[in-house]
């Protein structure tokens, strides 16, 4: 059996009661086979990255210990998105009920169709870095820099903490 790998999952929602969507996704994440939630960040409100005519997002990050292969984990994440009404309509960075991103998978660097890990947007996304730093302030992003170095290069003023750390059911 594969050894346990620390992975980081990013959550985002701005439709259908975003706080509830994040909590529901966390509960579903906790039921993924051969995996367990190690740590959860607080919830943060952030402005949308894409079209400005959409509601603010609620974001969070979870550290998940898993024995699943990266592609198998990604399938579970996409299944959770589907179960929560995520519609992939081709609008990049548009509104959504839930978005789950596999941000980091151990120290692996994967660049394949449909799966890029570490997630290529991590270095410039405060809505990812702030909750990740809350979970693991000493984390280094494979192929990049440490969380603290990356945070020092971006503006984090629009990342507003709105709720204490998540707790799965």
């Amino acid at each position: 059996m594969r050894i346990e790998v620390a992975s980081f999952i990013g959550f985002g929602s701005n439709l259908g009661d975003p706080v509830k969507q994040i909590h529901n996704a966390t509960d579903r994440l906790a039921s993924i086979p051969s995996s367990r939630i190690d740590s959860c960040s607080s919830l943060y409100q952030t402005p949308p990255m894409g079209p400005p005519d959409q509601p603010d997002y609620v974001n969070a990050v979870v550290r998940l210990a898993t024995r699943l292969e990266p592609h198998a984990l990604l399938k579970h994440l996409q299944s959770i998105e589907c179960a929560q009404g995520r519609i992939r309509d081709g609008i990049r960075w548009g509104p959504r009920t839930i978005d789950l991103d596999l941000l980091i998978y151990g120290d692996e660097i994967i660049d394949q169709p449909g799966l890029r890990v570490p997630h290529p947007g991590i270095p410039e996304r405060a809505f990812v870095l702030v909750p990740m730093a809350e979970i693991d302030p000493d984390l280094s992003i494979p192929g990049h820099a440490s969380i603290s170095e990356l945070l020092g290069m971006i503006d984090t003023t629009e990342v507003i903490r709105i709720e204490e750390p998540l707790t799965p059911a």
Side-chain angles (χ1 to χ4, degrees):
M1 180 173 252
R2 182 176 183 90
I3 63 166
E4 212 170 59
V5 175
S7 61
F8 287 78
I9 313 299
F11 292 67
S13 174
N14 71 343
L15 295 177
D17 190 348
V19 170
K20 185 177 179 182
Q21 293 288 351
I22 299 286
H23 284 282
N24 289 345
T26 303
D27 292 344
R28 286 184 162 120
L29 191 72
S31 68
I32 292 178
S34 303
S35 305
R36 64 180 164 75
I37 293 177
D38 272 346
S39 189
C40 301
S41 76
S42 300
L43 272 62
Y44 294 86
Q45 182 174 331
T46 61
M49 213 173 111
D53 59 340
Q54 60 179 312
D56 283 350
Y57 272 80
V58 174
N59 295 100
V61 171
V62 168
R63 183 174 54 213
L64 182 76
T66 186
R67 294 182 186 277
L68 296 175
E69 297 289 335
H71 284 89
L73 179 56
L74 179 63
K75 280 188 172 188
H76 281 283
L77 298 179
Q78 291 171 339
S79 174
I80 292 169
E81 290 177 336
C82 184
Q84 290 189 221
R86 167 81 188 265
I87 298 170
R88 294 185 184 272
D89 56 10
I91 298 173
R92 190 163 194 196
W93 301 321
R96 55 200 58 175
T97 54
I98 193 71
D99 182 34
L100 300 175
D101 288 327
L102 178 53
L103 301 170
I104 295 176
Y105 185 87
D107 58 5
E108 291 191 33
I109 297 175
I110 303 167
D111 190 358
Q112 299 173 354
L115 181 60
R116 293 180 66 199
V117 176
H119 190 288
I122 291 174
E124 66 269 357
R125 293 183 178 170
F127 63 86
V128 170
L129 290 171
V130 170
M132 282 179 90
E134 181 183 338
I135 292 173
D136 190 344
D138 299 322
L139 181 68
S140 287
I141 309 300
H144 294 285
S146 71
I147 291 279
S148 59
E149 290 172 299
L150 293 171
L151 278 169
M153 295 186 261
I154 62 171
D155 179 11
T156 62
T157 57
E158 292 187 308
V159 180
I160 311 296
R161 186 175 182 207
I162 59 169
E163 189 174 298
E164 294 295 316
L166 297 166
T167 52

